[in-house]
Amino acid sequence: MLLWTLIVLLTAAAIVAVLAPLRHAPRAAASDAHARQVYRDQLDELERDKAEGRVSAADAEATRAEIARRLIALDSEPDAEPQTAGSPALRRTILVAAVAGIPALSFSLYVMLGAPNLPGAPLSARLEAPSGSSDIEVLVARTEQHLARNPEDGRGWEVIAPVYLRLGRPDDSVRAFRNAIRILGSTAGREIRLGEAIWAAENGIVTADARAAFEEAHRLDPAAPQPRFFLAIAAQQEGNTDEARQWLNALLADTPADASWRPAVVAALAELGVTDIPPGTQPETPAEAPRGPSEADVAAAQQMSSEDRMAMIEGMVSGLAARLESEPDDAEGWIRLIRSYVVLGQSDAAADAARAALAGVSDNGDRQRVEALIADLGVTPAAEATQ
Amino acid sequence: MIGTFSIAELGHYALVLALVLMLVQSTVPLLGLYWRDQRLVAVSGSTPIAGFILVGIAFAALTAAYVASDFSVRNVWENSHSAKPMLYKVTGVWGNHEGSMLLWVLILALFGALVAAFGANLPSTLRARVIAVQGWIGTAFLLFVLLTSNPFERIHPPPLEGRDLNPILQDIGLAIHPPLLYVGYVGFSIAFAFAVAALMERRIDAAWARWVRPWTLAAWVFLTGGIAMGSYWAYYELGWGGWWFWDPVENASFMPWLAGTALLHSAVVMEKRGALKVWTILLAILTFSLSLLGTFLVRSGVLTSVHAFATDPSRGVFILAILVAFIGGALALFAWRAPDLKQGGLFAPISREGALVFNNLFLVTATATVLIGTLYPLALEAVTGQKISVGAPFFNLTFGPLMVPLLMALPFGPLLAWKRADLYGATQRLGVAMIAALVAAVITYVVAGGKGVLAPLALGLGVWLIAGSLVDLAERIQFLRAPVRTSWARFVGLPRSALGTVVAHAGVGAMVIGIVGTSVYQTEEIVSLNPGESVDVAGYTLLFQGMSPVTGPNYREDRAQFLASRGGAEPFSMTPSKRFYMAREMATTEAAIETIGFSQLYVSLGDEIEGGTVAVRASYKPLVTLIWLGALVTSIGGALSLTDRRLRIGAPKPAAARQPKAASA
């Protein structure tokens, strides 16, 4: 309300500024009076120069003649634009146009461009009154302030890095992981998490940086499954399908039958055309293996500009959403969809998906996993989510 | 109160309203002239002032959002940080694209308001047209700000912490350099508006030159100061002690300066003799066109790379459209109307006018040289994709030789009479200055140990300029030729514009001395030092005592401690450092500078700092401060000239009233 009051006052003042000169006709002055003044000044100056001996008498006379000619030229020129007091009818038109036109134009432009309903948010006010929903943000901000003062606190960086990832700020997460490694030293676990953060920041592409992190992790802990898996993906993305197959086959050989990542390995192998998985290690429900982008999709993604890549990712996400609409009983699918929305920064869509997931997933255990994820990501299911 | 509504929204509205008033300002006075209605013409007196107040409110609102760290404003979030010192919260307002364009518009509106408020000495028709043209420029740039570079965009929900300002910009230089530079850039818009208005009036006479002079001079004074400040800032902040890089962004500000300097001089001829009218009008248009070009080059992102342009085509295309419309429109009007202009007084080649034409030829050629050196690589990259760098060698080979004859001829100019002059007489009177210059060159040659002839001569050129200016002053006050009392009386009564000329030209001489001194006679050592080791440069011994960490408000600093002394004299400490700004994860170099006379000892740390060993660049830069002091003196000369009584603002009144004052002085 106060904002609009001030806006109306400003507008009124602007209208007054435009209209004020219309009330009285200004004092009329001959249009060449100003030029005449300049030439008179020049004559004075000439006199001074002459008195000080800076110009000879002859030159001064010539110059005087020149200035005089300028003065005469002023007289001979017709007064180009005689002005009148103006007609009252015209003035009324201008008055109406100003009173109506100025606010109409400025209000409509402002409504198009501005955000009058957004409250101001000075930092001091926000730190004093943390609301429930921004708790995690306040915590992050405090941690950031702490780290700004103590940038060598490696533990701090390590704590905040995964939080960034969950808040959909993978770039910050990468930076934090790098700081943690720089200060606390490199371990396989840290390199793996760094690699995964880069992978997330690069929209699911194993870039050279990510690859370097996974290679380091693999060197530090050759048995760890994640580096081997991602190095396989990297090889696949680069078109080295043989190398990818070698990585995955080796990994599969070391993978216990009940390992949680086994389906992902099998699915990745399937994409490479390897279907003759050794018997006995065959996963129970291969159909539930994560449906990721195909090799062709990934290869295409590497050729794309960032906008195109974004469009492809959004296309994949909407495809997943469409599939889940028809087959809602798929906890894995929902988890991936919710994560994607959070990473893409579409919190409303994430909230809707959370509601649909809780309604659609029938198995109790699966539901709990979805709930855990929702709590983890800080997604609030949309309104009708209570049941 | 804060928190319930956003002050930024009020600023946003004020800016929109300012746009509407600019539209009024652009049209109503012209309609008034067309319909011959005095009252409508008079609207040009009040709207620019109201418009300036509105843009001022917008600017204040953005500043308030920065001070309060209101990150719901996108621009604040992108360029500020709650831990940033207050000074940089304020200067950060224009330390980014959107905010700097708002400052641009603010200064444009300020100049419009100044013409409206203090333009009483102008004919009302000319003033109304000038203000209308100013309104067109204002409208174009307000549209640009609102539609492509809006500093009042909001974010919801607001992030808790901002991204901080580029640390290189976190310096007192940001408080001074851009505002000065922009006052200069934008001030030339008034000269442009005067030129276009005069072409519209079809009436251009000697009086016009006097009316436009104070505005051009004011803009030039600020631009000179702004460029010098920018140069000193780059010198101490970028860490390798260069004072001019021929970087395209620098050239973008230098070209309007060169053209503006030419304009100042040609306007003198037009004012005194009514000659060079067409040329002066063209220069007024070109000077502001170069300001616009500079704005375009810097603001569209063309300069960082041709491809950066494509990342935000709307901005680049928008400014390009403004550029084409204003430059093209003004030049078309010029082509149409200029042939009607009557030529003014005649003059012989050897005359004050001739000297000023000489000045203009060289300055405009130099401008063209810089323009080519700046645009050619861009054009080449755009057409062939090939990246070349036109650096200092090109400019040293082209710009340098152009300056030498100009500077050699400079002291003659003020000594030549109007119309036709006595070159032999002027040469005689300058004899003292020539002797001084030669003596300085010989002394330099001997002191430098007999190496090279060109450098001592170049240094002598600087002395020639200073001594030549003093000769001009001595001639004017008849120093030693009249009794001291008479000379003093003449000095006191000297027109400020004449004094300004002497001071400004002497400043150029000081600059030349500084440039030659530091370019040719600098000594530099680049070494790695462990604590306890020392380096010798130009007779100074710098003892490295070690590194110590320091924590600033939003950065960490590794500070090196040096103890410096010359031949066992009282030692002083020097502390160059490397700063690391946390929020942006960027490092900056802070050089340590000790000024000794006009010279400086400059110590900065190299990139590698490992295990207690530091890479150190230590240099002794003889007379380096004269570069900026000279520019400052030149700028002061312009300011002195601005206070000349002829330029004082006043409505027409009987000339007789002024005579007694001059006599009593």
Side-chain angles (χ1 to χ4, degrees):
Chain A
M1 213 38 232
L2 180 60
L3 176 64
W4 286 107
T5 314
L6 291 171
I7 282 178
V8 168
L9 285 176
L10 269 189
T11 316
I15 294 173
V16 169
V18 172
L19 295 185
L22 297 178
R23 288 181 53 223
H24 312 284
R27 283 179 297 110
S31 70
D32 60 5
H34 301 80
R36 210 172 284 283
Q37 173 71 25
V38 170
Y39 300 138
R40 287 214 192 90
D41 280 355
Q42 287 188 336
L43 283 175
D44 290 351
E45 203 185 325
L46 183 66
E47 285 307 318
R48 271 199 306 277
D49 282 354
K50 201 177 138 195
E52 289 167 12
R54 297 187 52 78
V55 284
S56 68
D59 277 351
E61 206 41 58
T63 311
R64 197 196 318 282
E66 199 173 296
I67 297 171
R69 272 202 297 281
R70 285 180 208 153
L71 275 164
I72 293 162
L74 279 182
D75 289 335
S76 64
E77 261 180 48
D79 205 356
E81 283 153 282
Q83 295 181 358
T84 64
S87 79
L90 186 64
R91 214 148 49 235
R92 265 197 300 280
T93 320
I94 296 283
L95 187 110
V96 172
V99 171
I102 292 177
L105 204 55
S106 61
F107 285 160
S108 50
L109 251 176
Y110 174 65
V111 168
M112 264 164 56
L113 296 169
N117 298 325
L118 277 190
L123 191 71
S124 54
R126 277 183 295 142
L127 282 179
E128 276 162 24
S131 65
S133 65
S134 67
D135 267 355
I136 183 135
E137 290 218 335
V138 170
L139 282 176
V140 168
R142 296 218 176 104
T143 314
E144 281 173 340
Q145 281 175 0
H146 165 79
L147 286 170
R149 281 189 297 271
N150 308 289
E152 295 301 305
D153 178 359
R155 291 271 162 229
W157 289 116
E158 191 156 39
V159 166
I160 203 169
V163 180
Y164 279 141
L165 198 56
R166 252 175 260 150
L167 289 175
R169 293 163 63 181
D171 290 325
D172 289 326
S173 178
V174 170
R175 190 166 56 82
F177 273 127
R178 283 199 196 284
N179 280 333
I181 290 172
R182 175 173 58 80
I183 297 157
L184 301 176
S186 176
T187 65
R190 288 191 191 117
E191 295 288 352
I192 288 169
R193 273 169 285 162
L194 171 63
E196 286 175 342
I198 300 172
W199 175 75
E202 300 294 333
N203 300 318
I205 308 288
V206 184
T207 59
D209 281 353
R211 193 195 170 110
F214 288 125
E215 276 169 351
E216 182 63 14
H218 182 59
R219 192 181 63 77
L220 292 167
D221 180 4
Q226 295 98 322
R228 298 159 73 191
F229 179 76
F230 278 104
L231 288 171
I233 299 289
Q236 183 191 352
Q237 281 169 0
E238 284 157 21
N240 301 327
T241 42
D242 288 343
E243 190 193 334
R245 219 174 280 129
Q246 279 166 21
W247 277 112
L248 289 171
N249 279 328
L251 178 57
L252 195 66
D254 296 348
T255 302
D258 56 348
S260 62
W261 65 86
R262 189 177 175 90
V265 178
V266 172
L269 273 169
E271 263 186 29
L272 291 168
V274 180
T275 44
D276 54 338
I277 309 294
T281 58
Q282 188 88 22
E284 290 153 27
T285 47
E288 275 181 24
R291 289 172 217 186
S294 72
E295 185 187 351
D297 289 345
V298 172
Q302 284 175 313
Q303 312 280 325
M304 290 173 178
S305 72
S306 61
E307 287 99 323
D308 291 341
R309 193 179 299 147
M310 211 53 220
M312 185 189 102
I313 287 164
E314 272 163 6
M316 284 175 1
V317 171
S318 58
L320 179 62
R323 183 174 64 76
L324 287 170
E325 218 157 54
S326 49
E327 310 168 26
D329 193 0
D330 178 358
E332 286 300 331
W334 284 115
I335 287 172
R336 263 191 293 142
L337 183 64
I338 294 168
R339 269 192 201 286
S340 310
Y341 280 139
V342 170
V343 169
L344 292 173
Q346 300 174 1
S347 48
D348 291 350
D352 286 337
R355 179 183 56 75
L358 292 177
V361 176
S362 55
D363 180 71
N364 252 342
D366 281 344
R367 252 239 298 284
Q368 273 167 15
R369 280 172 54 215
V370 173
E371 274 165 359
L373 171 87
I374 289 170
D376 224 359
L377 293 179
V379 175
T380 320
E384 314 97 278
T386 35
Q387 201 47 275
Chain B
M1 198 60 66
I2 289 171
T4 56
F5 91 99
S6 166
I7 199 93
E9 290 301 323
L10 187 66
H12 198 169
Y13 181 76
L15 202 60
V16 170
L17 192 56
L19 170 67
V20 176
L21 282 198
M22 281 283 184
L23 281 171
V24 172
Q25 180 186 334
S26 314
T27 50
V28 173
L30 294 183
L31 289 176
L33 288 173
Y34 182 76
W35 285 323
R36 314 241 156 125
D37 184 328
Q38 282 174 332
R39 300 190 193 194
L40 288 189
V41 173
V43 168
S44 68
S46 57
T47 23
I49 297 171
F52 168 62
I53 293 172
L54 286 171
V55 181
I57 290 174
F59 193 82
L62 186 62
T63 311
Y66 265 88
V67 169
S69 293
D70 185 343
F71 300 130
S72 71
V73 179
R74 177 179 289 279
N75 189 255
V76 178
W77 170 65
E78 282 175 347
N79 299 292
S80 195
H81 192 282
S82 60
K84 198 165 69 168
M86 183 53 73
L87 174 67
Y88 305 140
K89 281 185 183 166
V90 176
T91 58
V93 173
W94 56 80
N96 62 82
H97 170 79
E98 289 84 358
S100 75
M101 286 319 296
L102 187 61
L103 179 66
W104 211 99
V105 172
L106 178 71
I107 293 170
L108 191 78
L110 169 68
F111 272 100
L114 286 176
V115 174
F118 299 108
N121 64 331
L122 303 176
S124 62
T125 56
L126 181 69
R127 186 176 63 167
R129 287 196 169 103
V130 167
I131 285 172
V133 174
Q134 193 75 1
W136 302 344
I137 305 171
T139 305
F141 275 92
L142 271 174
L143 275 174
F144 174 72
V145 168
L146 284 168
L147 299 183
T148 73
S149 315
N150 197 327
F152 292 111
E153 246 176 58
R154 305 289 302 279
I155 316 176
H156 187 76
L160 221 81
E161 195 45 275
R163 290 178 170 178
D164 208 355
L165 178 69
N166 184 342
I168 292 176
L169 299 179
Q170 295 193 24
D171 187 277
I172 184 74
L174 183 64
I176 307 168
H177 168 64
L180 285 182
L181 202 64
Y182 276 19
V183 170
Y185 263 15
V186 179
F188 284 128
S189 71
I190 296 288
F192 175 87
F194 266 92
V196 172
L199 288 170
M200 287 161 74
E201 296 229 306
R202 300 168 195 255
R203 208 170 123 171
I204 301 164
D205 42 31
W208 181 91
R210 176 166 294 185
W211 291 324
V212 78
R213 186 165 167 77
W215 303 100
T216 319
L217 199 53
W220 182 88
V221 165
F222 280 98
L223 190 59
T224 308
I227 294 175
M229 180 64 219
S231 157
Y232 189 59
W233 186 12
Y235 167 79
Y236 70 71
E237 181 69 33
L238 294 184
W240 57 278
W243 51 273
W244 191 261
F245 301 87
W246 292 111
D247 168 292
V249 179
E250 288 174 328
N251 294 348
S253 65
F254 193 43
M255 290 186 284
W257 186 87
L258 286 170
T261 310
L263 173 62
L264 273 184
H265 288 92
S266 79
V268 174
V269 180
M270 179 162 167
E271 180 184 332
K272 290 277 189 187
R273 295 297 321 283
L276 300 188
K277 284 182 198 169
V278 177
W279 173 242
T280 305
I281 294 279
L282 182 63
L283 268 182
I285 293 173
L286 288 183
T287 303
F288 183 60
S289 300
L290 288 167
S291 294
L292 282 179
L293 181 73
T295 309
F296 166 70
L297 288 179
V298 177
R299 287 288 141 231
S300 64
V302 166
L303 279 187
T304 30
S305 150
V306 175
H307 303 107
F309 194 125
T311 58
D312 195 352
S314 62
R315 278 179 189 168
V317 169
F318 203 118
I319 306 192
L320 197 60
I322 294 179
L323 201 73
V324 169
F326 281 98
I327 302 179
L331 289 179
L333 185 66
F334 176 80
W336 178 30
R337 290 281 167 84
D340 300 346
L341 299 180
K342 280 179 240 148
Q343 269 308 336
L346 301 171
F347 53 86
I350 302 292
S351 62
R352 181 80 67 84
E353 295 93 321
L356 289 166
V357 169
F358 183 87
N359 149 306
N360 267 235
L361 278 178
F362 277 85
L363 281 177
V364 170
T365 313
T367 312
T369 309
V370 178
L371 185 69
I372 290 168
T374 309
L375 291 188
Y376 178 71
L378 294 175
L380 191 73
E381 192 186 339
V383 174
T384 67
Q386 186 190 352
K387 265 187 190 291
I388 61 159
S389 156
V390 171
F394 169 82
F395 293 102
N396 291 345
L397 277 175
T398 53
F399 186 81
L402 278 172
M403 284 299 108
V404 171
L406 178 64
L407 297 180
M408 276 166 57
L410 192 155
F412 287 97
L415 290 172
L416 296 180
W418 292 101
K419 278 184 157 176
R420 83 184 71 80
D422 173 13
L423 186 60
Y424 179 70
T427 315
Q428 263 184 332
R429 279 174 282 168
L430 281 169
V432 187
M434 285 177 200
I435 292 167
L438 281 175
V439 169
V442 169
I443 292 177
T444 313
Y445 182 76
V446 171
V447 170
K451 286 173 292 182
V453 182
L454 280 178
L457 285 178
L459 208 113
L461 182 61
V463 174
W464 160 244
L465 290 173
I466 296 177
S469 302
L470 293 178
V471 167
D472 178 31
L473 181 66
E475 285 290 320
R476 281 175 183 269
I477 65 173
Q478 300 199 333
F479 184 63
L480 295 183
R481 286 197 280 134
V484 176
R485 287 181 71 87
T486 315
S487 287
W488 176 247
R490 292 185 72 128
F491 178 76
V492 172
L494 202 62
R496 295 275 181 79
S497 63
L499 197 59
T501 305
V502 169
V503 172
H505 289 171
V508 175
M511 246 169 85
V512 169
I513 294 175
I515 290 169
V516 175
T518 188
S519 309
V520 182
Y521 299 113
Q522 152 173 317
T523 44
E524 183 172 73
E525 296 290 337
I526 302 174
V527 289
S528 315
L529 294 179
N530 287 310
E533 292 179 342
S534 65
V535 58
D536 289 327
V537 58
Y540 287 88
T541 303
L542 291 160
L543 174 66
F544 176 45
Q545 298 176 300
M547 303 290 296
S548 54
V550 179
T551 308
N554 54 344
Y555 58 84
R556 266 181 307 115
E557 189 174 85
D558 284 323
R559 188 178 290 174
Q561 297 285 343
F562 283 91
L563 209 56
S565 132
R566 178 171 200 173
E570 181 73 25
F572 49 90
S573 81
M574 295 186 80
T575 54
S577 65
K578 282 267 179 195
R579 277 188 193 165
F580 185 77
Y581 285 79
M582 276 84 83
R584 289 229 174 180
E585 299 230 308
M586 273 178 73
T588 65
T589 310
E590 307 291 315
I593 297 172
E594 182 74 23
T595 306
I596 307 134
F598 288 124
S599 309
Q600 287 188 331
L601 196 57
Y602 184 106
V603 182
S604 69
L605 300 181
D607 283 336
E608 309 271 318
I609 302 179
E610 32 180 84
T613 309
V614 294
V616 178
R617 171 196 287 265
S619 33
Y620 181 74
K621 297 169 182 295
L623 305 177
V624 68
T625 57
L626 285 179
I627 297 174
W628 307 290
L629 290 176
L632 187 68
V633 168
T634 303
S635 184
I636 289 172
L640 268 176
S641 184
L642 194 57
T643 63
D644 192 278
R645 66 180 148 229
R646 288 179 299 142
L647 299 182
R648 281 194 204 130
I649 294 123
K653 56 187 166 194
R658 291 189 180 175
Q659 203 64 3
K661 195 177 149 208
S664 67

